[in-house]
Amino acid sequence: KNQVEQSPQSLIILEGKNCTLQCNYTVSPFSNLRWYKQDTGRGPVSLTIMTFSENTKSNGRYTATLDADTKQSSLHITASQLSDSASYICVVSSNSGGYQKVTFGTGTKLQVIP
Amino acid sequence: DAGVIQSPRHEVTEMGQEVTLRCKPISGHDYLFWYRQTMMRGLELLIYFNNNVPIDDSGMPEDRFSAKMPNASFSTLKIQPSEPRDSAVYFCASSRWLAGTYSYNEQFFGPGTRLTVL
């Protein structure tokens, strides 16, 4: 069964500090992995997308890594800001029967405090 | 571009009533997705369309749910009859094909419709 597990479930950090969120998956066959940021009361916004051949992708202070061998991904946030407070969702897609299947993680809720 | 547009933003209805949620995707996008999000289950894909054709509806919870996409600029998600357990935020998202990867590109989400069924 395809699964995406994220850790930690929630995290509180001080403004200016770095943090790393984890995503482990058992999705097969793998197509791509995306990280989304979802602010409270809003729809998710894509941060990064990585295919099998990519092992790192950056978007400003956000850097995602992918290890397709161990089926792990991480999202590193550098010099956190209050506006980084949100839920971060890992989503893994597979190609099945000619179309995409997506499996969602349950998200990590990040709170950045002054 | 105005982004993905959803209406209504909030809907409160009584059990047994029909509910219709609407979505206008970003112009030029050929994929449209309907999601449901709850605290308990997180974000769930209900159905997605490619070029107005439903591709995968395996996430639709039961026959009370139906979705249509009569043209490239409009889609509806209908619940009939509605039940309290349908209360959730429903998101619509659209995307374009990502050439060379057998995948669709970044999905752009609408603001969501918060549905409450009493």
Side-chain angles (χ1 to χ4, degrees):
Chain A
K1 180 183 176 185
N2 289 341
Q3 283 189 314
V4 175
E5 295 184 352
Q6 292 187 243
S7 62
Q9 278 193 327
S10 61
L11 183 61
I12 301 175
I13 62 172
L14 290 174
E15 186 179 11
K17 296 295 186 183
N18 304 335
C19 67
T20 300
L21 313 181
Q22 299 289 343
C23 173
N24 296 338
Y25 62 93
T26 58
V27 174
S28 182
F30 177 86
S31 175
N32 60 71
L33 185 146
R34 309 156 194 261
W35 283 93
Y36 285 90
K37 178 188 179 189
Q38 185 175 21
D39 293 315
T40 301
R42 294 180 171 265
V45 174
S46 178
L47 293 174
T48 64
I49 175 173
M50 289 180 290
T51 57
F52 187 86
S53 59
E54 298 171 300
N55 55 23
T56 187
K57 186 75 74 78
S58 290
N59 179 356
R61 293 179 298 102
Y62 300 100
T63 300
T65 63
L66 173 65
D67 186 333
D69 291 331
T70 61
K71 299 188 177 182
Q72 295 180 325
S73 176
S74 64
L75 180 69
H76 186 74
I77 305 175
T78 304
S80 61
Q81 300 176 359
L82 298 179
S83 60
D84 293 330
S85 296
S87 289
Y88 293 83
I89 304 170
C90 176
V91 183
V92 183
S93 297
S94 63
N95 283 322
S96 175
Y99 59 89
Q100 292 271 306
K101 274 280 193 189
V102 289
T103 306
F104 289 85
T106 52
T108 292
K109 191 174 178 66
L110 173 65
Q111 185 177 358
V112 181
I113 58 176
Chain B
D1 199 318
V4 176
I5 299 172
Q6 291 188 248
S7 65
R9 293 295 309 278
H10 302 273
E11 177 81 30
V12 180
T13 189
E14 293 187 344
M15 183 174 63
Q17 296 297 306
E18 177 180 296
V19 175
T20 299
L21 311 182
R22 297 172 176 80
C23 175
K24 176 178 167 55
I26 293 173
S27 177
H29 282 191
D30 51 355
Y31 282 86
L32 183 139
F33 308 82
W34 282 102
Y35 293 91
R36 177 173 68 177
Q37 188 175 40
T38 61
M39 288 291 292
M40 290 295 293
R41 301 171 69 94
L43 203 59
E44 302 172 280
L45 176 64
L46 300 177
I47 184 172
Y48 78 90
F49 296 82
N50 178 217
N51 292 322
N52 313 338
V53 176
I55 302 300
D56 182 5
D57 65 354
S58 59
M60 296 286 261
E62 47 197 278
D63 291 345
R64 297 185 297 106
F65 286 69
S66 63
K68 294 182 179 180
M69 192 166 185
N71 57 62
S73 59
F74 183 67
S75 177
T76 60
L77 178 68
K78 186 177 293 186
I79 309 172
Q80 165 64 19
S82 58
E83 297 182 3
R85 59 193 168 114
D86 301 330
S87 297
V89 180
Y90 291 81
F91 289 103
C92 175
S94 70
S95 177
R96 280 190 306 194
W97 181 253
L98 184 61
T101 66
Y102 302 98
S103 172
Y104 44 79
N105 207 339
E106 171 187 351
Q107 294 182 41
F108 292 84
F109 283 74
T113 295
R114 181 172 294 277
L115 173 65
T116 303
V117 183
L118 303 174

